[in-house]
């Protein structure tokens, strides 16, 4: 008889009708500061997480940034070009000729020339940045050095990067594989 009563009490305790919680709560703090996480099947907890849109690089923006980097590198290298190259490679240069400008015309920017879009490489080569024996400035070969040379190198890299990134689309010339 005793056993039956105990079973009946246990059954009642475990039943859903009981208003008193019978299972001890693991939290020892009588006033929990944080609400326990709702159970998985709580309908209010099933709202799908808002996935952030993956940031797609905007091609126009990428090109604009490449051009901006090139322009800023050009602005820094400009005094070096002016001091060392302008006399032969700008229209108003003292010893400038059309022939010299056909190779490299720095009268306006972007630079002109038969192979304007290859000028990054050509200029690197002409002043010896790529390890070549410098051929420019024509009258003072190899005279551009140190920081000045570094500024030209930085410009040439930015120019080539912008070109490779399609930021020069629309500029003609220089896409053939001509050799000088
Ligand atoms: C005293 C005149 C003079 C100066 C200064 C000068 N150049 Fe030239 N440049 C020339 C001539 C002449 C040519 C044509 C060379 C040839 O046909 O072999 C040329 C050609 C070039 C070419 C075409 C590729 C080549 O090597 O033939 C590039 C690039 C070039 N110059 C870059 C420069 C740069 C960069 C500077 C300044 C650091 C510079 N030049 C300064 C006279 C000059």
């Amino acid at each position: 008889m005793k056993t039956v009563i105990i079973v009946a009490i246990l059954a009642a305790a475990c039943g859903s009708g009981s208003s008193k919680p019978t299972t001890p709560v693991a939290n020892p703090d009588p006033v929990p500061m944080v609400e326990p996480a709702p159970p998985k099947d709580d309908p209010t907890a099933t709202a799908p997480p808002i996935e952030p849109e993956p940031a797609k690089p905007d091609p126009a923006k990428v090109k604009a940034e490449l051009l901006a980097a090139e322009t800023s590198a050009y602005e820094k290298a400009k005094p070096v070009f002016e001091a060392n190259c302008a006399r032969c490679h700008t229209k108003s240069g003292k010893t400038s000729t059309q022939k010299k400008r056909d190779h490299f015309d720095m009268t306006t920017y972007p630079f002109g020339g038969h192979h304007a879009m290859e000028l990054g490489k050509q200029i690197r080569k002409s002043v010896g940045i790529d390890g070549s024996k410098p051929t420019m400035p024509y009258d003072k070969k190899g005279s551009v050095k140190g920081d000045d040379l570094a500024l030209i190198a930085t410009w040439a890299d930015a120019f080539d990067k912008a070109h490779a990134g399609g930021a020069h689309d629309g500029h003609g010339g220089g896409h053939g594989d001509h050799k000088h």
Side-chain angles (χ1 to χ4, degrees), residues 78-177:
K78 201 176 170 185
V80 182
F81 281 120
E82 273 170 358
N84 298 284
C85 323
R87 61 185 177 275
C88 294
H89 291 285
T90 53
K91 260 198 181 117
S92 55
K94 262 191 197 152
T95 45
S96 172
T97 62
Q98 182 62 53
K99 202 168 162 259
K100 289 169 199 165
R101 293 194 311 270
D102 282 348
H103 289 285
F104 164 43
D105 187 351
M106 52 169 284
T107 309
T108 54
Y109 195 83
F111 296 144
H114 283 322
H115 305 285
M117 291 301 125
E118 289 165 20
L119 274 176
K121 192 178 159 199
Q122 283 191 12
I123 288 176
R124 232 184 249 118
K125 188 167 188 240
S126 72
V127 291
I129 291 166
D130 67 352
S132 308
K133 202 166 171 246
T135 55
M136 293 293 148
Y138 198 70
D139 51 355
K140 281 184 187 168
K141 297 177 177 50
S143 62
V144 181
K145 290 180 187 144
D147 290 349
D148 288 353
L149 201 60
L151 287 171
I152 291 187
T154 303
W155 165 80
D157 289 348
F159 177 88
D160 283 358
K161 244 176 133 177
H163 192 61
H168 294 160
D169 286 359
H171 289 280
H175 292 284
D177 53 350

Side-chain angles (χ1 to χ4, degrees), residues 36-92:
K40 275 268 157 64
D41 56 354
D42 184 338
T44 62
T46 54
I50 300 150
E51 295 219 350
E53 277 275 302
K56 278 183 215 138
D58 175 357
K61 206 181 152 208
V62 171
K63 285 181 193 178
E65 280 167 7
L66 286 170
L67 267 188
E70 179 194 329
T71 305
S72 113
Y74 167 64
E75 291 299 333
K76 286 179 193 142
K78 201 176 170 185
V80 182
F81 281 120
E82 273 170 358
N84 298 284
C85 323
R87 61 185 177 275
C88 294
H89 291 285
T90 53
K91 260 198 181 117
S92 55

